[in-house]
Amino acid sequence: SESGSSCYRVVLIGEQGVGKSSLANIFAGVHDSIDSDCEVLGEDTYERTLMVDGESATVILLDMWDNKREGEWIRDHCMQVGDAYLIVYSITDRASFEKASELRIQLRRARQKEDIPIILVGNKSDLVRCREVSVAEGRACAVVFDCKFIETSAAVQHNVKELFEGIVRQVRLRRDSK
Ligand code: GDP
Ligand code: MG
């Protein structure tokens, strides 16, 4: 295998309010479910080295999708720079689920011919009584998207570690098949 650690740029996209920054904060967080120090590279960029399946990987996580101060160019930038994407919706908000489909299509257009690793993320799974999108719908959507699917809760930190490990595995799968 290769020497040295691999570095992957992972981008959070999805409607405002779905929990992207909450997930990023857990990734960055001190309340530690993941096992190394995090470096904050800017207000919306985080870097952390994770051990996944016995191999280290450095993840640079970008949470700038909703940063409107910088103007619309930032979304084009986000669409171009990711090695992998987390498309996030809230299970309590059907409109955010529909938006996720749009984003998948946009991403496909922006990165034609590239096989980009994506995880479709149904966040806020703790809010069971407000659920508007079923697990089955999320899963079916991921099949159409040709990507992985996971439900998370940033609030109770359920499946968040698994999410970040999962995206590293997805990038590696493609790297290893080259
Ligand atoms: P962003 O706009 O996508 O970055 O979303 P935020 O991370 O700012 O979250 C929006 C709101 O949803 C905040 O009030 C969060 O506390 C809340 N939130 C985020 N994730 C969860 C979750 O998993 N469960 C619950 N109950 N609330 C969440
Ligand atoms: Mg945010």
Side-chain angles (χ1 to χ4, degrees), residues 20-21 63 66:
K20 298 181 298 300
S21 297
D63 176 32
D66 294 325

Side-chain angles (χ1 to χ4, degrees), residues 14-23 63 66 123-127 152-156:
E15 197 138 275
Q16 190 152 13
V18 297
K20 298 181 298 300
S21 297
S22 302
L23 292 166
D63 176 32
D66 294 325
N123 188 46
K124 308 198 185 184
S125 65
D126 59 293
L127 296 177
T152 58
S153 167
V156 303

Side-chain angles (χ1 to χ4, degrees), residues 37-155:
D37 290 335
C38 175
E39 196 176 337
V40 179
L41 301 175
E43 66 178 307
D44 42 26
T45 304
Y46 310 89
E47 178 183 324
R48 175 161 227 170
T49 299
L50 313 177
M51 278 301 278
V52 182
D53 304 327
E55 195 182 334
S56 73
T58 300
V59 172
I60 297 173
L61 185 67
L62 305 186
D63 176 32
M64 53 186 63
W65 187 249
D66 294 325
N67 185 342
K68 301 246 172 57
R69 250 177 327 161
E70 307 283 349
E72 269 301 310
W73 72 271
I74 208 137
R75 296 204 160 175
D76 297 329
H77 176 73
C78 284
M79 284 295 188
Q80 295 301 331
V81 299
D83 297 311
Y85 289 82
L86 305 175
I87 302 182
V88 187
Y89 67 92
S90 165
I91 66 140
T92 67
D93 177 6
R94 177 160 289 279
S96 73
F97 180 62
E98 281 153 14
K99 184 73 191 177
S101 297
E102 265 174 56
L103 292 173
R104 174 67 184 104
I105 291 162
Q106 262 179 263
L107 190 55
R108 184 172 280 152
R109 264 196 216 119
R111 304 284 292 274
Q112 286 172 31
K113 296 181 191 142
E114 287 179 75
D115 180 22
I116 300 176
I118 298 170
I119 298 182
L120 178 66
V121 185
N123 188 46
K124 308 198 185 184
S125 65
D126 59 293
L127 296 177
V128 286
R129 304 174 79 158
C130 307
R131 182 184 282 276
E132 289 185 2
V133 183
S134 71
V135 178
E137 285 175 290
R139 224 177 255 138
C141 185
V143 169
V144 174
F145 282 10
D146 191 24
C147 73
K148 287 283 169 187
F149 171 69
I150 193 169
E151 281 199 353
T152 58
S153 167

